[in-house]
Amino acid sequence: MSQLLTVAAEEMENPLVPPIPELVIGLIAFVIVFGFLAWKLLPNINKVLDERREAIEGGIEKAEAAQTEAQSVLEQYKAQLAEARHEAARLRQEAQEQGATLIAEMRAEGQRQREEIIAAGHAQIEADRKAAASSLRQDVGKLATELAGKLVGESLEDHARQSRVIDRFLDDLEEKAEASR
């Protein structure tokens, strides 16, 4: 029976509940370890966490500052681009105006040169016509004198008289030609 009591007593002890002395010793060891960690390790952990928080906040501030600066640079770039486009449009307009002016000047110069060439051509034609008329008068007068001399049978070589007769004859012909027009 004693054995039976011992076995029954052993069965009554719960294996999940530790003995009281072990529980007290474990609790004291836990408090010592927890106190040591709180005293030594917790300030270092808090310090690292604070540094990390400051770094993150500083990074966010730097990112916001960089974003603000990038936005201002972008606005400046857009303003410069708009100004450059405006300047290019102005230069293009000036070039078109200058081109139109040059074309007008060149046309006027070409017209003036054309008029000069036409006037010079008319003057040359008039001079050639007068030279041809004079040459024709002389040739017709000479031929008429020779023909008259052959018909009369005498030489009609008196030049002054010959010129007057020929001139009068040709003037009469010209007047008749102009009158018939």
Side-chain angles (χ1 to χ4, degrees):
M1 223 172 103
S2 114
Q3 271 183 339
L4 203 53
L5 274 176
T6 327
V7 170
E10 284 180 15
E11 284 181 10
M12 282 201 192
E13 277 186 39
N14 190 357
L16 295 177
V17 178
I20 299 285
E22 281 183 24
L23 192 61
V24 171
I25 290 173
L27 190 61
I28 291 172
F30 178 74
V31 168
I32 290 172
V33 169
F34 185 75
F36 177 75
L37 288 177
W39 176 63
K40 273 293 198 190
L41 205 55
L42 193 59
N44 288 337
I45 291 173
N46 284 337
K47 184 174 118 182
V48 168
L49 288 175
D50 287 342
E51 288 174 359
R52 197 176 272 175
R53 186 178 331 108
E54 288 176 9
I56 290 171
E57 288 174 358
I60 290 172
E61 289 174 1
K62 286 179 184 176
E64 288 174 352
Q67 186 175 6
T68 304
E69 183 180 345
Q71 187 67 26
S72 68
V73 168
L74 178 64
E75 289 173 4
Q76 288 176 354
Y77 170 74
K78 285 181 179 179
Q80 288 176 348
L81 184 62
E83 183 178 328
R85 285 182 180 156
H86 178 70
E87 182 68 17
R90 186 185 62 78
L91 290 175
R92 193 175 324 119
Q93 181 66 26
E94 284 180 9
Q96 287 175 348
E97 290 171 0
Q98 288 176 352
T101 303
L102 285 174
I103 288 171
E105 288 175 1
M106 295 305 280
R107 280 186 181 157
E109 179 66 20
Q111 185 71 20
R112 185 189 60 78
Q113 288 178 355
R114 185 180 131 242
E115 295 297 327
E116 287 178 2
I117 290 170
I118 289 172
H122 285 303
Q124 183 65 37
I125 288 171
E126 185 62 28
D128 289 346
R129 187 188 66 76
K130 286 181 180 177
S134 174
S135 174
L136 187 61
R137 262 180 200 245
Q138 289 175 0
D139 289 344
V140 167
K142 203 182 263 185
L143 288 173
T145 306
E146 287 176 12
L147 183 61
K150 287 181 182 178
L151 286 175
V152 172
E154 293 181 24
S155 175
L156 301 173
E157 290 295 324
D158 183 14
H159 289 293
R161 188 172 20 145
Q162 178 183 358
S163 292
R164 284 192 307 268
V165 170
I166 292 170
D167 287 338
R168 190 175 50 229
F169 175 73
L170 289 176
D171 288 338
D172 288 341
L173 283 178
E174 285 179 6
E175 286 176 13
K176 288 178 184 176
E178 287 178 12
S180 66
R181 284 186 192 171

